[in-house]
Amino acid sequence: MTNTNLNRRRFLQYTAFGTFAAAIPELAFTESYKLNKTPNSAFKADVEIALTAQMTEVSILPGANTRVLKYTGKLLKGPSGTLKELPSYLGPMLNFEQGQKVRIFFHNQIPEPCVTHWHGMHVPQIMDGHPMYAINQGEQYVYEFEVKNPAGTNWYHSHTHEVTARQVYQGLAGLITITDEIERKLNLPSGEYDIPLIIQDRTFTSRNQLYYALNMHQRMQGFLGDTILANGQRNHVIPVKTRAYRLRILNGSNSRIYKLGWSDGSLLTAIGTDGGLLEKPQTFPYIMLAPAERVELWVDFSDRKPGSELALQTLSYRGFSMRMGGGMDMENNMMNQGSKSTIVKFAITEQIGDSPKLPDTLVPIRRFTAKDASNPDIVVPIAIGMRRMTFNLNGRTFDMLDYTNQEKIPVNTMQIIRISNANPDMGRGMGGGMRGGRGRGMMGMIMAQPHPIHLHGQQFQILSRKPGHADSAYTAIKDGFINNGWKDTVLVMPGEEVEIIKPFMDYTGLFLYHCHNLEHEDMGMMRNFFIS
């Protein structure tokens, strides 16, 4: 889509929004539709950052530099460790403390509209990065919010309507860490022993440029690259010592789902997920990590010998695309969903004797049940469906301001939400069946896909999972779901029904929920909750 068309669409959306807001007392009162272009003098910031989205070139592969979109940052006020540069095209890591008041001057220097979403952060609507707030090249948006989240790992990325997938693919993403008093008392690995790991898949041309072109197949299943990057680097090797590390992993891919496992088959020890630390460490044979999900691992290299290596891999599993099974799809120049590959290697380079011990308990978490819901007899539905070769939620695709009565949520309530990926028309089994001839079978394969559903605002807890197709493919991945702790993104498998309980506290306005397969999001698989 050209810049002219994007600007025209934005103008029409804002014109419609102004008329719409004037007709709704809740929106007209808050004036939340106005761009926040100047700082609020009453907001006393502890941290101030200048963050710019711009076009640049970086070295990713040997040879020519790669043209990318990139966030660059400058600390204007606050602790010196607030910004940490990450390699390659990734934006700076933003390190916050619970209770800090943060002001971010976001400048858009790319030649199309852009808006930034603070994924996982509990912030007001006007600060959340709803696409209605996209700004043009040369404009500024001022984000101001108090850090209310507990210690954990979040991230930020572009959330521009209909071009989120491409803008994130081209580089507009970065990590956020939060610390608090409870976490500090745990003495978890810190400094050089606290390692961020952003996993993304990309495809490059023969001249080292990012390749992103969608045919119908790739729109329906999501874009899959043929090269896995760790922290923006191919064949990445991280030197480590013989001690324990904290590994913060983000799946920053557009659509690829990773089945994380160690190359030697050892168990993975999880200490945190999307919404922060777990109540207790948990061990898994592997961990399924969908786009936008995070997991924090405790990794102890104490028993490893200097000179040895340990690889973090994505293990083979049955994919969900129209071409089933692992391996390379040469026609579409991509590595199929579920293909085995090495993500990053850890090279043990130094023997040391000092290492922290894994705590038995981490943070207290109150486990909610359906009885804690404000109205346990009412369940808010999120039904994944498809119509005219377009995925939808509750039978509707995204409209900037649209919401239905069932998407209207009272503020300061706790709601049960049922996410269903059980479209009655989808093919049989996780890979889709071939019932009814080739056409119907192909449609079943397209529709029978997993969807990572992300809800903006506060994080939620998972109440239950009900698999619809307990076949061998589901059995091979079911032990990799982390269902405890706080989440903001949940992977819902074909035929599956997941119930969650989510607080809607403090803030009113339009908050998004959508599939975080970014190609699906751009196709309209996104809706608004109106909190009032």
Side-chain angles (χ1 to χ4, degrees), residues 256 316 324-330 334-340:
R256 187 173 296 279
S316 178
M324 305 306 297
M328 185 70 71
D329 181 343
M330 297 307 295
M334 65 185 186
M335 187 172 66
N336 280 342
Q337 190 81 273
S339 297
K340 183 177 181 179

Side-chain angles (χ1 to χ4, degrees), residues 307-359:
S308 64
E309 286 186 337
L310 180 67
L312 182 66
Q313 298 178 326
T314 179
L315 305 177
S316 178
Y317 66 91
R318 182 174 165 185
F320 310 97
S321 65
M322 287 186 286
R323 288 177 178 264
M324 305 306 297
M328 185 70 71
D329 181 343
M330 297 307 295
E331 178 183 343
N332 293 291
N333 191 31
M334 65 185 186
M335 187 172 66
N336 280 342
Q337 190 81 273
S339 297
K340 183 177 181 179
S341 182
T342 294
I343 296 170
V344 63
K345 292 181 179 179
F346 295 90
I348 293 80
T349 59
E350 184 178 345
Q351 179 85 42
I352 60 173
D354 183 32
S355 180
K357 300 299 181 183
L358 177 65

Side-chain angles (χ1 to χ4, degrees), residues 497-518:
E497 183 179 276
V498 179
E499 279 200 357
I500 65 174
I501 186 165
K502 175 177 166 57
F504 291 84
M505 302 297 175
D506 304 325
Y507 304 125
T508 59
L510 295 174
F511 286 86
L512 299 168
Y513 65 97
H514 59 88
C515 181
H516 222 286
N517 178 319
L518 295 184

